[in-house]
Amino acid sequence: MNPLKGTYLSRRLSSFYLSVSARHSRCNSTSATPPADGHLPSVASSEILRTKREAGLRTPGIKWADEDSSAPTRIIVGGRETRKMNTYQAIRDAMSIALAKDESTVVFGEDVAFGGVFRCTMGLAEEFGKERVFNTPLTEQGIAGFGIGLALMGHTAIAEIQFADYILPAFDQIVNEAAKIRYRSGGGYNAGGLTIRTPTMSVGHGALYHSQSPEGFFMGASGLKVVIPRSPIQAKGLLLSSIRDPNPVIFMEPKILYRSAVEQVPIDDYELPLGEAEVLIPGSDLTLLTWGTPVYHCETALHLLQSPPPELQPVIPASLRSANIELIDLRSILPWDVKTVAESVSRTGRLVIVHEAGMTAGVGAEISAEIQKRCFLKLNAPVRRVTGWDLPVGLQYEKFNIPDAIRILDAVVETLAY
Amino acid sequence: MASLARVRLAPRLPAGLRVQVRSVQTTADLTQLRDKPSDPSQPITVKLHEDSFQSYLCDKPDLEVQVTGEELLTMYKEMQTMRRMEMAADALYKAKLIRGFCHLAIGQEAVSVGLEHGITKDDRVITAYRCHPFAVLRGGTIKGVIGELLGRQAGMSHGKGGSMHIFTPSFFGGNGIVGAQVPIGAGVSFAQKYMGEKTCTFALYGDGASNQGQVFEAYNMAKLWNLPTVFVCENNKYGMGTSAARSSSNTEYFKRGDKIPGLQVNGMDILATKHAVEYARKWTVDDQNGPLLLEFVTYRYGGHSMSDPGTTYRTREEVQRMRSTQDPIRGLQKYIEEWGVANEQELKQLDKEAKAEVDAAVEEAKASPEPLIKDLWTDIYYKNTEPPYMRGREREEVHHY
């Protein structure tokens, strides 16, 4: 079966696929043998990443913990330092700050004491003690329930579920207890101190139980927040916000970005806002909305649109190449930033949503329904979703399952030409 | 299935012969008076029946216990009040004033009142849906419980939760998902240990919930980390409509913690339950022995919930026999009268007071208004961290924060 069959552009592109894969273009979906740690070529060269100190310190929306939040926002970069970190190091940095600043903070999960399978908790047990950073049994439902109990006692509980695929045994605890306890106790109790970190999205060869994106399953659980960062700076700021947010938060970390995304991360304590999307590239002709790993596939697709390689030129009308595409990183899945997205689509008249989870009842379904309602008369084309197929993530052909730059480009071209 | 059931039930012995298989007594009035000083303020010494406890990997508690006459009367009054409250809930439900789910603990009063008398104010309790007495005893009010059941503002969760959702600062609620409260209780007790508090958590569940996977996950974590968790199985012999023997391969619930020691307790004699709770508290807090499993063998007179008449899976005779021979309140009443603490007239007076207290609370709760429509949208997220709006049924109902 050819999963690409049926889309006009993709059929024409199949030869392009094969030819570029041979010369390792920046189009990530074509790399023939990915390295074992899941290197993603498009991330390494991404212009979205803030790889200079100045740029890192000028991250939009950054709120320094040592500055009075009521004072007017100002960006002072002098006197602040950054350090080159990848995503797992930035996440470790955030947890280290949380552990140092709040004595009630504990970090626990499967194998976190020796650093965790993705190294996010490396050295934390040595630094803060085994009573505060400890291994749990392989017991996801128990971990979630245990964390809720801790949070009910006013503690800051940072739980790790080793893979987002394993969060499903804990689904009941998260949806029925963590999300509802504030409401059902009339505000008497809350699990706001609970943050559940979990690696998510595909890694190239994770297959059925290591490459899923379950964020959509939690979307109906009011009382909960769901956050997915795209880079080290984002991961640190959003994780610190999540830990301190007085609501339970599921913090999903795109696992392929743990090592491949590198930025100059401010070493001070700072937060980034929850519930707010970020416009990465402003534009006026189409809104391209995504979160997590596909942010970089979208960036690649925009490069391909602007200056298509010779193999693609015949299928990309010259008139579309200068289109201004607005790229938005949603960042918070629940609650999602309707305002920013609706405002953007009202200007551009077109929306393409990209996510790795399957299409049916995915997060894109909720967003497109709401946007079609709010922007109905402004839309020039149907809202388009580029998602994983409604299939289990198979071991083989994982790269055909996730939305890659070519499928995104296809959807963008079709939506522009609608 | 039917034949399978017959095979399993065939070896059931007549009640008189069952003594050969040693198990705890569930008779409420077998405690004997040993010594009663003439000064009524001095504690009475009594001896619990030798079959009040069965132990697993630990020693049985001492059978000789001391109790003051005043405490006996307090316990009596509280048990009567709790039963009256549950009866009032039953009546309000049948009058269609209480809607939704409602699980009553009539017959199990020796567990809730005995627990409260064996612990301190700073210990924590978390239980399942049969939770009304615990909520009152842990610092709530009857008006608050009945108000919650009625869905009124006077309810302990402001009428937004209902029967299974009542909390106090030391009581982590009624919880409606079978078994879900048990790992939460383990987390609560971890916090107690972490903070160096000299307290423990009693995590209660029923014989039905004993078969939930997460109960075993909680056992394992509690034992692994030596947490001050007392796992309390209220074995009322039926998980909804299925008897313990038909649902559990091992009905000795106190032995199901593997390496966690356990104690099976006569859950109908309040002196035994209180004594067992004190034993568990000493085990977990004073001696820091890690978790303990308590199994209270008790009985619920009513159905599982209001929609269950409670007679399709057990005989009316069985319920009648339990009520007439093993009732925990009657058992305590007998102690009080036989040991000369109070006479029948004085106890009748306490009954009247209990009824009057409940009746007054019911009237107050009924007078309380229902929650305001705008309260539907509060307490979902922490104030000022909500999404910009939440949907209602139609455009006019969309709530903007």
Side-chain angles (χ1 to χ4, degrees):
Chain A
M1 187 199 75
N2 175 8
L4 294 173
K5 195 174 162 190
T7 58
Y8 155 77
L9 187 55
S10 300
R11 272 200 305 275
R12 308 269 309 260
L13 289 176
S14 50
S15 60
F16 166 77
Y17 246 110
L18 298 171
S19 64
V20 241
S21 70
R23 52 183 179 86
H24 289 269
S25 118
R26 53 181 292 139
C27 176
N28 76 295
S29 55
T30 54
S31 121
T33 46
D37 60 354
H39 183 63
L40 192 64
S42 66
V43 177
S45 55
S46 171
E47 289 155 21
I48 291 168
L49 292 171
R50 296 173 176 264
T51 52
K52 299 278 186 306
R53 170 180 171 270
E54 184 92 349
L57 293 172
R58 289 188 188 279
T59 297
I62 200 162
K63 200 181 101 202
W64 302 103
D66 54 14
E67 275 183 14
D68 184 3
S69 57
S70 60
T73 324
R74 52 196 183 135
I75 296 178
I76 297 178
V77 297
R80 296 202 188 270
E81 291 306 318
T82 60
R83 197 167 58 228
K84 190 176 167 186
M85 294 185 207
N86 61 25
T87 311
Y88 80 67
Q89 290 162 335
I91 286 164
R92 187 220 178 267
D93 197 38
M95 282 191 280
S96 152
I97 290 172
L99 282 159
K101 289 204 169 175
D102 172 4
E103 284 236 318
S104 78
T105 305
V106 288
V107 172
F108 53 95
E110 295 160 11
D111 294 343
V112 299
F114 69 73
V117 288
F118 290 106
R119 321 310 295 151
C120 292
T121 51
M122 210 150 62
L124 289 178
E126 288 78 6
E127 194 177 337
F128 295 99
K130 287 185 190 311
E131 317 79 44
R132 300 186 62 194
V133 181
F134 53 91
N135 287 341
T136 62
L138 312 186
T139 185
E140 286 78 15
Q141 191 174 18
I143 292 171
F146 178 83
I148 293 164
L150 265 173
L152 296 185
M153 289 287 279
H155 278 238
T156 303
I158 306 175
E160 177 179 303
I161 299 290
Q162 198 164 57
F163 282 88
D165 312 64
Y166 311 163
I167 207 165
L168 300 178
F171 195 69
D172 169 62
Q173 283 287 353
I174 295 169
V175 173
N176 273 327
E177 307 294 335
K180 295 187 176 66
I181 185 97
R182 187 190 305 278
Y183 197 84
R184 70 192 194 86
S185 67
Y189 276 106
N190 70 81
L194 176 68
T195 305
I196 297 178
R197 294 179 39 249
T198 187
T200 189
M201 299 194 173
S202 70
V203 68
H205 47 266
L208 291 100
Y209 297 147
H210 296 83
S211 276
Q212 294 178 75
S213 303
E215 68 267 20
F217 294 146
F218 295 97
M219 221 180 171
S222 294
L224 209 63
K225 293 191 176 181
V226 180
V227 178
I228 303 182
R230 67 165 186 277
S231 75
I233 294 176
Q234 294 291 315
K236 179 176 171 182
L238 290 172
L239 181 54
L240 279 167
S241 292
S242 300
I243 291 168
R244 291 163 184 166
D245 190 90
N247 304 288
V249 180
I250 301 180
F251 191 81
M252 295 185 166
E253 303 159 0
K255 63 178 88 72
I256 203 166
L257 302 178
Y258 274 134
R259 288 162 188 273
S260 59
V262 179
E263 285 183 314
Q264 283 290 339
V265 180
I267 54 175
D268 288 341
D269 182 354
Y270 67 90
E271 292 177 18
L272 290 168
L274 303 187
E276 289 183 25
E278 184 183 348
V279 178
L280 301 179
I281 302 171
S284 52
D285 298 327
L286 181 144
T287 303
L288 185 54
L289 175 68
T290 188
W291 52 92
T293 314
V295 166
Y296 302 96
H297 303 326
C298 288
E299 188 193 14
T300 306
L302 297 188
H303 282 293
L304 290 174
L305 177 70
Q306 239 170 31
S307 44
E311 298 90 332
L312 280 181
Q313 280 171 7
V315 288
I316 299 183
S319 59
L320 299 182
R321 292 179 199 170
S322 57
N324 286 321
I325 312 288
E326 181 147 301
L327 178 60
I328 300 181
D329 176 6
L330 192 61
R331 301 198 289 191
S332 285
I333 308 305
L334 181 68
W336 64 284
D337 189 350
V338 193
K339 200 168 146 244
T340 298
V341 178
E343 185 278 323
S344 171
V345 177
S346 296
R347 275 190 291 106
T348 63
R350 293 179 168 87
L351 176 62
V352 175
I353 305 164
V354 183
H355 62 66
E356 283 197 9
M359 182 178 286
T360 303
V363 176
E366 170 64 25
I367 295 175
S368 47
E370 187 63 22
I371 291 301
Q372 301 209 45
K373 190 190 116 196
R374 287 184 179 235
C375 309
F376 188 67
L377 296 175
K378 301 276 175 64
L379 283 172
N380 297 319
V383 175
R384 178 74 182 263
R385 288 176 283 165
V386 186
T387 68
W389 310 110
D390 283 339
L391 302 170
V393 184
L395 173 62
Q396 291 298 2
Y397 310 122
E398 187 167 312
K399 285 194 172 297
F400 292 106
N401 186 54
I402 59 169
D404 62 14
I406 296 297
R407 277 170 57 197
I408 297 165
L409 177 62
D410 184 26
V412 166
V413 168
E414 276 197 7
T415 305
L416 282 171
Y418 183 81
Chain B
M1 272 315 280
S3 61
L4 179 67
R6 268 201 300 280
V7 170
R8 296 201 49 176
L9 295 178
R12 183 182 274 183
L13 299 165
L17 286 176
R18 254 188 274 171
V19 208
Q20 289 169 343
V21 187
R22 279 295 252 226
S23 72
V24 297
Q25 275 288 347
T26 52
T27 307
D29 57 359
L30 290 177
T31 300
Q32 299 293 320
L33 181 66
R34 275 295 148 97
D35 179 39
K36 184 174 177 259
S38 49
D39 179 358
S41 68
Q42 291 302 306
I44 310 166
T45 306
V46 298
K47 186 161 186 287
L48 300 170
H49 189 272
E50 58 176 351
D51 288 331
S52 295
F53 307 109
Q54 279 227 91
S55 71
Y56 169 69
L57 304 180
C58 64
D59 293 330
K60 286 187 197 176
D62 195 359
L63 292 177
E64 214 166 80
V65 294
Q66 294 198 317
V67 62
T68 63
E70 194 187 338
E71 186 172 16
L72 289 174
L73 290 175
T74 310
M75 293 195 292
Y76 178 84
K77 170 88 182 292
E78 286 174 356
M79 286 168 86
Q80 274 294 9
T81 313
M82 290 306 99
R83 182 166 293 186
R84 287 281 171 191
M85 176 180 75
E86 296 288 63
M87 286 162 65
D90 184 69
L92 289 166
Y93 198 97
K94 285 170 179 156
K96 294 191 164 50
L97 284 164
I98 294 174
R99 318 278 288 271
F101 291 88
C102 184
H103 307 83
L104 304 177
I106 299 174
Q108 303 181 206
E109 293 86 354
V111 176
S112 50
V113 177
L115 177 76
E116 190 55 38
H117 280 261
I119 62 179
T120 69
K121 289 274 171 258
D122 293 330
D123 289 320
R124 312 299 204 281
V125 176
I126 184 166
T127 187
Y129 36 77
R130 213 173 299 286
C131 62
H132 310 154
F134 297 100
V136 176
L137 296 164
R138 287 267 89 195
T141 60
I142 299 168
K143 177 187 168 188
V145 169
I146 297 288
E148 194 57 42
L149 267 60
L150 289 165
R152 305 299 172 92
Q153 285 180 23
M156 286 166 70
S157 296
H158 314 311
K160 293 170 69 167
S163 164
M164 299 178 260
H165 312 284
I166 35 183
F167 304 78
T168 76
S170 64
F171 176 61
F172 288 72
N175 287 273
I177 304 295
V178 176
Q181 74 280 9
V182 183
I184 294 179
V188 169
S189 54
F190 180 91
Q192 291 172 315
K193 185 176 177 174
Y194 186 90
M195 301 305 283
E197 284 184 21
K198 294 272 169 260
T199 56
C200 62
T201 297
F202 288 79
L204 287 84
Y205 53 93
D207 48 302
S210 293
N211 298 320
Q212 282 281 349
Q214 56 183 329
V215 171
F216 293 90
E217 295 186 31
Y219 288 166
N220 181 48
M221 286 189 283
K223 186 63 184 170
L224 185 68
W225 299 326
N226 235 32
L227 303 180
T229 320
V230 183
F231 296 101
V232 184
C233 176
E234 265 188 280
N235 175 7
N236 63 18
K237 311 228 176 77
Y238 297 91
M240 298 197 284
T242 303
S243 70
R246 288 180 187 224
S247 73
S248 304
S249 60
N250 176 6
T251 54
E252 293 184 306
Y253 295 102
F254 67 113
K255 292 184 181 173
R256 291 178 73 166
D258 191 8
K259 289 196 161 186
I260 303 177
L263 197 64
Q264 192 184 39
V265 184
N266 176 357
M268 297 307 247
D269 182 344
I270 189 159
L271 295 175
T273 59
K274 179 192 172 221
H275 193 46
V277 168
E278 287 167 341
Y279 177 91
R281 203 179 177 280
K282 181 171 182 298
W283 178 276
T284 49
V285 181
D286 301 338
D287 301 341
Q288 298 182 22
N289 283 332
L292 184 76
L293 228 157
L294 282 186
E295 175 192 347
F296 290 123
V297 184
T298 179
Y299 198 81
R300 80 169 132 75
Y301 295 165
H304 162 74
S305 68
M306 300 308 294
S307 54
D308 168 23
T311 49
T312 49
Y313 46 87
R314 55 185 187 180
T315 60
R316 284 178 200 279
E317 292 70 36
E318 178 185 302
V319 180
Q320 203 45 52
R321 180 165 45 79
M322 292 302 289
R323 272 183 180 273
S324 58
T325 65
Q326 315 204 346
D327 185 75
I329 300 182
R330 280 206 203 179
L332 179 57
Q333 180 187 356
K334 196 175 146 198
Y335 295 155
I336 290 172
E337 289 175 14
E338 282 188 359
W339 301 343
V341 177
N343 61 32
E344 197 183 343
Q345 281 310 313
E346 288 163 323
L347 291 182
K348 285 233 166 89
Q349 182 56 35
L350 290 182
D351 294 353
K352 268 190 199 158
E353 287 171 24
K355 185 174 183 304
E357 187 184 343
V358 171
D359 288 348
V362 167
E363 287 315 310
E364 283 180 52
K366 276 159 83 175
S368 171
E370 290 176 356
L372 303 175
I373 294 293
K374 70 176 172 59
D375 292 337
L376 272 174
W377 284 281
T378 57
D379 294 324
I380 301 172
Y381 290 92
Y382 183 73
K383 213 169 166 43
N384 300 326
T385 66
E386 303 97 343
Y389 69 94
M390 295 285 263
R391 287 182 186 142
R393 285 170 304 182
E394 52 196 48
R395 189 181 303 208
E396 290 71 28
E397 274 185 0
V398 173
H399 181 82
H400 293 270
Y401 288 102

